[in-house]
Amino acid sequence: MISAPFSNESAAGIAHVYRGTFVHATYHTAVEILEDRLLGVDTEGKIAFIGSGKEVDRLSQKWGFEAFAVTQLGQHEFFMPGMVDTHIHASQYSYAGTALDMPLLQWLNMYTFPVEACYKDLEFARNVYTHVVKRTLRNGTTTACYFATIHTDASLLLGQIANDLGQRALVGKVCMDTNNFIPHYKETPDESELETNRFIGELLKKKYPLVRPVVTPRFAPSCSATLLGHLGEIAQNNDLHIQSHISETKEEVSLVKELFPDYDSYTDVYHRHNLLTDKTVMAHGCHLTDGELKLFRETGASIAHCPNSNISLCSGMLDVRRVLNHKVKLGLGTDVAGGYSPSMLDAVRRTLDTSKALTIQDTQYHTLTFEEVFRLATLGGSQALSLDENTGNFEVGKDFDALRVNTDAAGGPIDLINHGEGPKVESNLLASSGDDRNIVEVYVAGKRVVPFVERP
């Protein structure tokens, strides 16, 4: 039994109590299965206690809830932590699943920049952003780290929509002052600094409980040293999260070397502009050197592994085992629309596929296990975003961000087959054929946000 570290007298009142199976990761165990447990959520949405289901009478007296009010999970149901998408472009959702016919740099110029330029139209932005937040919540993403566009008002709108729909989110107004292919889709360094400060100030003024700003240089090839310096100073002065891209393709790495010849590496470009901190998450990192990974470890910066995108754009295959061996924090990302799926379940599967592809190339390779990848999709993601004090697993004091999963959901994709005394097959949900149809409820900070309750 996991006991609460504080007394009933000092706790907020109990709002909900659930009984059943809880599956999560800890800092020491990739997958821990807690069977017949009672979990109490207080009125502030935090986990107040976790105890044995057999002690319902004692716990109800201690915590002041009625035993008959406990929500009992079904035979084929369990709770798992909400999944954390450490890298997704909300502004690219409108063309997800298309336009994957060219490599990264050409893809950006042909498809991405022209579409992102449309977000000066707030109604267009509202339509797409509402759809992407709703879709990712349905897919079980309780926390998302979003790229928006260079448009401040549209980026603020994304923060508002995430707040209104109940998703935990880091939202970034994109910063870029170099764009030779779509000249109207960029800012000057001074404009970008001014608008970034406006974005941060206005978003923080809203006091959204679950939405925070993240400083967002698009990537080094689209930012001058002057702009990178401005952004590093803004992040440092305001103690903010930072997100960008790094070493996604070999062509990109070569371009950075040409643009920044006086720097030791791609990583060094960010580091020398104060953009590599323990609140930094960099997407991809497929071609980082050991020296660069050492710098990640020393600064506490993390990597968002986006395997769907890496394969779809033929960018490369990140050796996750190597990153973990360097003790660098790592989470998973969908990277819509380079990745064609907004589902973190897909990111789990593509992570396993990439690891197995590396094993095909080297039979001595230490393939990732499903259990390890489950942790990366939940607790690992929260660590990568420096949010693990609040979310990522079921620990007393953390917010109750959770998915209620039914492996036998009506109309679902899984056929449960009785194996008699053989091994249980329900744990295969994430690694095999399960999808969002098996996710019947989604909770963020104790509040049920899926199914959606539409406002009148």
Side-chain angles (χ1 to χ4, degrees):
M1 182 179 110
I2 303 174
S3 59
F6 46 80
S7 68
N8 186 30
E9 287 75 20
S10 63
I14 300 301
H16 303 285
V17 179
Y18 304 95
R19 182 174 182 175
T21 298
F22 296 81
V23 181
H24 74 154
T26 72
Y27 294 99
H28 305 292
T29 306
V31 171
E32 182 178 57
I33 300 175
L34 307 173
E35 295 186 287
D36 190 23
R37 290 296 200 276
L38 282 169
L39 184 148
V41 181
D42 67 24
T43 53
E44 296 176 353
K46 297 186 180 298
I47 300 171
F49 67 85
I50 303 174
S52 169
K54 296 176 182 178
E55 297 187 289
V56 61
D57 291 334
R58 182 184 70 82
L59 290 169
S60 65
Q61 290 180 4
K62 177 180 179 180
W63 293 95
F65 63 89
E66 300 290 343
F68 66 81
V70 173
T71 298
Q72 176 72 53
L73 300 190
Q75 177 185 0
H76 300 294
E77 291 186 320
F78 63 89
F79 270 115
M80 63 170 281
M83 289 180 284
V84 181
D85 191 340
T86 60
H87 184 70
I88 175 170
H89 292 262
S91 53
Q92 297 175 16
Y93 181 65
S94 64
Y95 62 96
T98 66
L100 297 174
D101 57 340
M102 53 184 61
L104 173 68
L105 298 181
Q106 293 85 341
W107 177 81
L108 288 170
N109 295 325
M110 179 64 69
Y111 301 115
T112 299
F113 295 152
V115 172
E116 289 191 10
C118 297
Y119 282 77
K120 61 184 177 182
D121 180 343
L122 289 181
E123 286 311 306
F124 176 78
R126 183 185 302 277
N127 182 37
V128 177
Y129 287 159
T130 300
H131 276 91
V132 69
V133 174
K134 282 189 171 183
R135 176 57 59 191
T136 53
L137 279 171
R138 284 195 199 99
N139 287 346
T141 300
T142 54
T143 300
C145 189
Y146 286 118
F147 270 64
T149 65
I150 68 172
H151 309 97
T152 302
D153 291 336
S155 301
L156 289 167
L157 181 59
L158 174 57
Q160 177 192 322
I161 290 168
N163 173 73
D164 290 348
L165 292 173
Q167 188 174 56
R168 189 184 304 276
L170 296 175
V171 176
K173 173 213 163 303
V174 173
C175 301
M176 51 190 290
D177 64 344
T178 303
N179 187 346
N180 295 328
F181 290 89
I182 311 291
H184 62 277
Y185 187 60
K186 64 180 180 180
E187 303 167 297
T188 67
D190 289 343
E191 287 171 341
S192 191
E193 180 185 19
L194 181 67
E195 287 301 300
T196 296
N197 279 318
R198 180 167 80 87
F199 169 73
I200 293 166
E202 292 194 20
L203 189 62
L204 291 177
K205 192 184 300 182
K206 300 289 186 181
K207 295 185 178 180
Y208 296 140
L210 301 175
V211 180
R212 305 181 189 179
V214 50
V215 174
T216 306
R218 182 173 211 108
F219 66 159
S222 66
C223 297
S224 66
T226 299
L227 177 55
L228 293 174
H230 288 333
L231 298 177
E233 186 176 344
I234 290 170
Q236 191 173 51
N237 291 343
N238 296 279
D239 190 26
L240 295 176
H241 288 79
I242 300 164
Q243 65 175 344
S244 193
H245 302 82
I246 195 167
S247 296
E248 186 172 354
T249 71
K250 291 182 179 179
E251 182 184 11
E252 173 202 1
V253 173
S254 296
L255 178 58
V256 170
K257 191 172 183 178
E258 293 176 13
L259 294 171
F260 298 89
D262 297 328
Y263 294 78
D264 295 337
S265 66
Y266 199 157
T267 302
D268 189 45
V269 173
Y270 291 123
H271 185 230
R272 284 166 61 179
H273 291 101
N274 299 313
L275 290 166
L276 213 63
T277 75
D278 60 359
K279 286 188 172 183
T280 295
V281 58
M282 290 284 173
H284 307 295
C286 298
H287 308 287
L288 292 172
T289 65
D290 287 342
E292 289 178 288
L293 287 173
K294 181 181 178 183
L295 193 51
F296 266 75
R297 168 61 179 167
E298 290 172 349
T299 58
S302 61
I303 292 173
H305 176 39
C306 306
N308 187 314
S309 171
N310 293 340
I311 297 301
S312 295
L313 297 178
C314 299
S315 301
M317 292 190 293
L318 177 65
D319 185 344
V320 171
R321 179 69 66 197
R322 175 169 161 262
V323 174
L324 297 178
N325 286 343
H326 275 273
K327 301 188 184 305
V328 172
K329 296 181 296 184
L330 184 142
L332 305 185
T334 59
D335 192 26
V336 168
Y340 56 76
S341 172
S343 168
M344 282 296 294
L345 292 177
D346 176 84
V348 167
R349 295 178 183 125
R350 299 292 82 80
T351 297
L352 288 166
D353 289 346
T354 297
S355 186
K356 290 176 181 179
L358 293 171
T359 305
I360 292 172
Q361 295 178 351
D362 177 5
T363 57
Q364 301 302 309
Y365 184 73
H366 187 188
T367 314
L368 294 172
T369 66
F370 160 68
E371 290 81 3
E372 289 176 299
V373 178
F374 172 85
R375 175 160 58 186
L376 295 178
T378 54
L379 181 60
S382 69
Q383 289 177 286
L385 298 182
S386 298
L387 296 175
D388 53 309
E389 289 188 0
N390 306 109
T391 187
N393 63 356
F394 299 131
E395 288 187 7
V396 170
K398 289 189 178 184
D399 288 355
F400 185 62
D401 291 3
L403 312 180
R404 183 173 178 172
V405 177
N406 184 353
T407 57
D408 196 30
I414 297 177
D415 295 316
L416 297 182
I417 298 174
N418 187 355
H419 283 224
E421 297 300 317
K424 292 183 178 180
V425 297
E426 292 185 11
S427 61
N428 251 354
L429 169 73
L430 299 184
S432 59
S433 56
D435 62 24
D436 61 284
R437 288 171 290 178
N438 297 106
I439 300 171
V440 294
E441 292 178 337
V442 177
Y443 295 81
V444 181
K447 179 183 177 182
R448 192 179 72 177
V449 295
V450 174
F452 298 107
V453 177
E454 298 294 344
R455 295 180 178 180

